[in-house]
Amino acid sequence: MKTALVCGAGGFIGGHLVKKLKREGFWVRGVDIKAHEFDPTAADEFLLLDLRQEADCREALTLNNGTFDEVYQLAADMGGMGFIHSAECDIMHNSALINIHMTHHASQLGVPRYFFSSSVCVYRDMQPGEPEMTEAEAVPANPDNEYGWEKLYAERMAQAYQRNRGMTVRIARFQNCYGPYGTWTGGREKAPAAICRKVAEAEDGGTIEVWGDGTAVRSYTYVNDMVDGIYRLMHSDLEGAVNIGCPQYVTVDELVETVAAVSGKTIHIKHIDGPVGVHSRNFSNERIYSTDWRAQYMLKDGIAETYSWIEEQVKQQQKVGV
Ligand code: NAD
C-alpha cells in the first residue's frame, strides 16, 4: 500500500486532500498544529506537531524507520486578505520556518516525491483585461503582499532541492479555493466564506458590508477540483510551478450576487474601506490542462455547496447563542 503524509491536514484543503488520498487507496498520516475544527480527520493516523520545529518535521516524515512515498506540504500560517495584511511577520516567520525545515528534512530522509502548495499571490498586481499570465511571468517578481514573497522563496527552495539533492518536487500555485469545512469566521476566512456568512446572517432585503469598491476581479476554485488538480499534478511529469484555477473570472460584487442568488435572498451591498489585494488576476491554466484536469464546478455550483454548509454553521452558532 502506498503511503502519504499530508502536512496541514487539520486545515481546509489538507483535510479534503486526506479524503482524496484515502479514496485513491493510500495509507495517510495527517499532521497539524491543531485538530481539524469542523471535520474529524479521515487520516489513518493524525499527529499534532509544530512544523516550525526541526525535530517535529523529522517525526512527521519518519515512518517505520523509513519515510513516505509521497509528501504533501500544505501547512502554513494562512488566512484571507484581512489576515495577510495584518500578520506579515507571523507569515514570514512561521511559514518560512515550516518550509525550510520540511523541504530540507524530506530531502535528507529520501522522500521520493514532494508537493508544495504555493499561491497565485506570487504574481504582481494585474489590471482587468490584461492577457493571461504564465507561470514563468512570476519573475521579475513583485507580489502584492509578504505571503506571496514567502511562497516564492519556498518555491525556489524546493526547486533547488530538486536540482541539487535529487528530490522530485511538484509545485502548485492555487487560485482562491473555497468549499465546505473551511474557516468561515474569526478573521482568517477568505472572501467566499466571509460573504456566505454575511448573507446567511442577513435578513431577506438586508445589507452586507463588502471591502473595497466591488470591482476587483478574481477566480474561485472549488475544493474538490483543487484536490483533484493536486493529485494529477503530483503524478505528472510537470516540473516547475503550475497554476491550478477555475477559468471563470468574476468581480467581488458578482461573487456577492452569486451567493445572494443561491440563498434566495435580496441582498444590498455597502462598500467600505478594507484590505482588497490586487485589482485583477488572469492566469494561464495550460500547464495543468496538459494533465487533462479541468475545473468541474462553476462558481454557482460550488457556492451552492459552500453556502448550505456555512448557513448550517451560522444556525448552530445562533442556537448556542455565541
Ligand atoms: P488552512 O489555514 O485551512 O490550512 C493550513 C494548516 O496549516 C492549518 O490547519 C494550520 O493549523 C496548519 N499549520 C499552521 N502552522 C503550523 C505549524 N507550525 N505546524 C503544523 N501545522 C501548521 O489553509 P488552506 O486554505 O487549507 O491552505 C492550505 C495551503 O494552500 C496553504 O499553504 C496555503 O497557503 C495554500 N493556499 C491556499 C489558498 C486558498 O484559497 N485556500 C490559495 C492559495 C494557496
Side-chain angles (χ1 to χ4, degrees):
M1 198 176 198
K2 280 194 137 195
T3 56
L5 170 66
V6 177
C7 302
F12 168 48
I13 305 174
H16 284 272
L17 181 61
V18 167
K19 290 182 194 160
K20 165 77 178 165
L21 291 167
K22 288 297 300 168
R23 288 195 297 275
E24 297 292 340
F26 282 73
W27 185 92
V28 183
R29 173 186 288 169
V31 168
D32 205 291
I33 201 167
K34 62 161 180 64
H36 203 295
E37 241 177 296
F38 315 111
D39 198 17
T41 183
D44 296 284
E45 183 179 69
F46 188 86
L47 304 183
L48 283 175
L49 294 169
D50 181 350
L51 298 174
R52 292 170 300 183
Q53 312 291 334
E54 290 196 69
D56 284 20
C57 290
R58 282 193 85 87
E59 185 178 341
L61 286 158
T62 304
L63 181 69
N64 303 330
N65 300 321
T67 190
F68 290 84
D69 297 310
E70 298 182 3
V71 170
Y72 295 81
Q73 197 327 67
L74 286 88
D77 209 352
M78 159 70 187
M81 268 306 140
F83 177 78
I84 282 177
H85 281 270
S86 63
E88 294 180 328
C89 299
D90 294 335
I91 290 167
M92 293 301 257
H93 177 263
N94 296 337
S95 297
L97 281 180
I98 294 170
N99 288 315
I100 287 167
H101 295 321
M102 278 301 300
T103 314
H104 180 72
H105 289 288
S107 151
Q108 273 207 335
L109 289 166
V111 166
R113 235 173 162 79
Y114 185 87
F115 173 88
F116 173 59
S117 53
S118 185
S119 162
V120 294
C121 282
V122 302
Y123 295 102
R124 65 168 170 78
D125 192 1
M126 294 175 77
Q127 292 305 314
E130 268 196 62
E132 281 183 350
M133 211 180 255
T134 65
E135 287 84 351
E137 289 174 298
V139 280
N142 191 17
D144 158 74
N145 52 56
E146 303 311 323
Y147 170 77
W149 282 106
E150 190 282 325
K151 290 288 189 195
L152 261 187
Y153 172 75
E155 278 188 14
R156 295 189 73 93
M157 180 172 176
Q159 285 174 302
Y161 274 77
Q162 168 153 292
R163 278 195 308 277
N164 299 313
R165 304 276 168 93
M167 179 167 73
T168 297
V169 167
R170 295 290 174 263
I171 299 169
R173 290 182 184 154
F174 299 163
Q175 286 270 23
N176 294 296
C177 183
Y178 71 102
Y181 304 111
T183 305
W184 60 278
T185 188
R188 286 189 185 233
E189 63 277 19
K190 306 194 89 184
I195 289 168
C196 284
R197 186 197 71 233
K198 288 178 184 189
V199 170
E201 287 170 347
E203 302 288 329
D204 190 10
T207 300
I208 66 164
E209 292 186 340
V210 172
W211 288 344
D213 65 6
T215 61
V217 176
R218 299 283 183 276
S219 106
Y220 300 99
T221 307
Y222 189 61
V223 68
N224 291 17
D225 283 335
M226 190 61 85
V227 297
D228 186 33
I230 294 171
Y231 190 79
R232 282 175 192 252
L233 172 58
M234 184 65 148
H235 299 99
S236 76
D237 56 7
L238 288 175
E239 297 196 347
V242 177
N243 298 328
I244 302 181
C246 175
Q248 183 188 12
Y249 286 86
V250 295
T251 64
V252 172
D253 279 356
E254 285 167 343
L255 171 65
V256 177
E257 283 160 20
T258 305
V259 175
V262 163
S263 75
K265 296 178 186 176
T266 299
I267 294 291
H268 304 285
I269 301 173
K270 182 180 175 199
H271 295 116
I272 59 164
D273 280 346
V276 176
V278 296
H279 291 91
S280 181
R281 291 254 160 88
N282 188 19
F283 302 107
S284 165
N285 287 308
E286 289 308 314
R287 298 201 77 211
I288 192 67
Y289 286 171
S290 72
T291 67
D292 284 339
W293 180 87
R294 294 289 184 283
Q296 302 297 314
Y297 286 79
M298 292 298 108
L299 187 64
K300 186 166 61 65
D301 311 316
I303 287 293
E305 305 283 333
T306 310
Y307 182 79
S308 61
W309 182 78
I310 291 181
E311 186 185 36
E312 190 52 41
Q313 307 308 304
V314 168
K315 279 186 191 152
Q316 280 179 21
Q317 199 180 57
Q318 286 167 345
K319 220 185 276 171
V320 294
V322 179

